[in-house]
Structures are given as C-alpha cells and as structure tokens.
Amino acid sequence: MKRTLQLLSVAILCCYTIATACTENTKVVDTTALRNWQAGDTVTAEAVEAFGGIDKCFAAETIPDGVWQRMQGKTYKANPHIGRGDLRHIRALHWDYDNRMHVGEMVCNAQIADRLVRILRQLFDAKYPIQRMLLPDVYNADDETQMRDNNTSCFCYRAVSGTTKLSKHARGLAVDINTLYNPYYKDRADGTRYIQPATAAKYCDRTQTFPYKIDHSDLCFRLFTAAGFEWGGDWTSCKDFQHFELIE
C-alpha cells in the first residue's frame, strides 16, 4: 500500500508539472486590436502571428459599414463626383520612429488601392517610420489638426487650401505622409510665407536633419514615384513635402 501511494504521488506530481509547463507555453496573446482593427493601437509580433501573420494585416477592401458611418459629415460629404463604391479601405501595419508596431488604416480611391497596399507593405518590411495612420475623421476632418499630429492619410473630400478647386484628396488619389515633419508652404508676393501645419516652420528648412524627413533619397519618395505618383516637394510654385498624388 505504501509503495502504491508513493507511485501515485509521483504520477500526480508529473501530471502537475506537465500541466504547468503546457500552461506557460500556451500563453494567450491578445489580438483584439487586430480583430477589431483598432487603428493607432500598438501591437506585438506575437499578436500578429496569432492573428494569422503579416500578410493578413495588409489588404484593400470595400468600405465597411462602421468606417462609412464614421466618415459621414467629416471626410465624406454627399457630392456628385465620388461615392462609396469608388473608395477602398486600406488595412496596414506600420512602424514608428521608436521601432514600435502600430495598426493603421486609410481610405483611398479604388484606382490606387492595390498600389498603395504594396507600397505600405514595402515600407513596413523596411521598417520605414510612419508615426500615425488614422482616418482624418478622428480629427473631425480638420487638416491643420491632423497635420500637427503628424498623421498620415489619403481621402478627405475637401478643396485645395485657399481655393474652391477640389483637392486630389477629395478623390482619394493623394497621400500625405508624416505631415508635421514634411509641411506645405507657399511664399507670397508680399514676402510672407504660408505654412501648413502652422507649427512646422522649422521643418521647412530641408537642409536640416530631423526624424520622418522625406527627400529624394528617401524610400517613400522612391516607392511612390516608381508607382506613378508625383511628389509635392518637387513643385516650384509651392512646396508640399508630405504629398504624393497620382499622375493622370
């Protein structure tokens, strides 16, 4: 009887040890941010793997109902030029300057959706830093506010600043990258300079070195121009260092 109890105790101890090891090796990974596609959230490589891998995190799809509802009266306003069927919702991951991985999203024209997904995946694979990739609706579609926050985005139904002409963004054919560090500016005839965002004056000097800077040697510049986009940094009447728009 004593021998039997000893053997039973050993068996129970072994089962407990195995169960504990299995529990430790099967740690539950939180994939909520990816399952719900919560743009702006930081995620880990383990979460991405548990979600289904990197490939599953880059896609262009028709605009989901929830996204469409968020856009109403903000980035989307009823108009005769572009509708829901003309647009696509982009899901992508991106790295920031501190090497953290984030969930990102973007709305663009269906015409450039596949190209944009490829570019964003190439930027991700190269660990190219993009600080934020949120829909402008988070900022109530206020361009100045989202640019000050260094947000990267595409579609917003609006006119070119200071005009009544529709922007390429209004058709989802232009992308703005890391907007605070790559501002728009125009030198006026009276000698003053108009800058967007207004907080980005020091980043107008492109001889300086700073994070997120786009120039001709930059991977972002090379990928977008190779895919048929022109860069606002090459314009002569003004400079728009954040801006890439489809050449039509």
Side-chain angles (χ1 to χ4, degrees), residues 12 25-26 71 73 83 105-107 109-110 116 142 166 184 191 213 217 222 229:
I12 291 172
N25 291 330
T26 56
M71 294 167 62
E105 66 179 339
M106 194 178 290
V107 170
N109 193 298
L116 191 49
D142 184 83
L166 281 182
Y184 166 95
K213 178 183 172 184
S217 64
R222 299 198 307 271
F229 291 76

Side-chain angles (χ1 to χ4, degrees), residues 37-236:
W37 210 258
Q38 296 171 341
D41 279 14
T42 303
V43 290
T44 64
E46 291 78 14
V48 171
E49 186 63 29
F51 180 64
I54 294 292
D55 290 344
K56 191 176 177 182
C57 297
F58 287 83
E61 58 189 354
T62 55
I63 307 292
D65 290 342
V67 172
W68 185 243
Q69 290 167 7
R70 286 159 53 198
M71 294 167 62
Q72 299 309 299
K74 296 178 181 177
T75 54
Y76 189 83
K77 302 173 180 66
N79 71 89
H81 305 293
I82 192 163
R84 183 175 182 176
D86 302 308
L87 300 169
R88 294 293 182 270
H89 179 250
I90 301 293
R91 292 188 286 113
L93 299 176
H94 62 97
W95 300 94
D96 66 14
Y97 202 75
D98 296 313
N99 207 34
R100 294 173 300 192
M101 192 191 315
H102 299 273
V103 179
E105 66 179 339
M106 194 178 290
V107 170
C108 71
N109 193 298
Q111 186 179 346
I112 66 169
D114 290 341
R115 270 180 278 188
L116 191 49
V117 169
R118 284 195 299 272
I119 291 170
L120 292 174
R121 176 60 187 271
Q122 289 172 295
L123 292 172
F124 175 83
D125 288 345
K127 289 200 169 183
Y128 183 93
I130 295 176
Q131 188 168 12
R132 291 182 182 82
M133 195 186 297
L134 307 173
L135 298 187
D137 307 280
V138 172
Y139 305 91
N140 289 315
D142 184 83
D143 209 32
E144 176 72 15
T145 302
Q146 73 158 338
M147 284 192 291
R148 291 187 185 197
D149 204 33
N150 203 34
N151 190 48
T152 291
S153 68
C154 180
F155 175 77
C156 185
Y157 194 80
R158 61 175 176 81
V160 175
S161 180
T163 75
T164 57
K165 178 184 175 183
L166 281 182
S167 165
K168 282 282 185 79
H169 290 286
R171 295 169 56 202
L173 295 175
V175 183
D176 288 343
I177 308 285
N178 290 327
T179 48
L180 173 63
Y181 297 91
N182 298 286
Y184 166 95
Y185 76 78
K186 184 177 180 63
D187 292 325
R188 300 185 178 107
D190 63 4
T192 60
R193 174 172 283 184
Y194 175 67
I195 303 170
Q196 283 190 298
T199 53
K202 63 182 177 181
Y203 302 119
C204 292
D205 182 358
R206 309 308 280 185
T207 66
Q208 299 299 310
T209 300
F210 44 81
Y212 301 108
K213 178 183 172 184
I214 299 173
D215 57 24
H216 285 116
S217 64
D218 187 69
L219 178 61
C220 196
F221 168 83
R222 299 198 307 271
L223 292 176
F224 271 100
T225 53
F229 291 76
E230 67 175 344
W231 181 45
D234 283 331
W235 294 346
T236 55

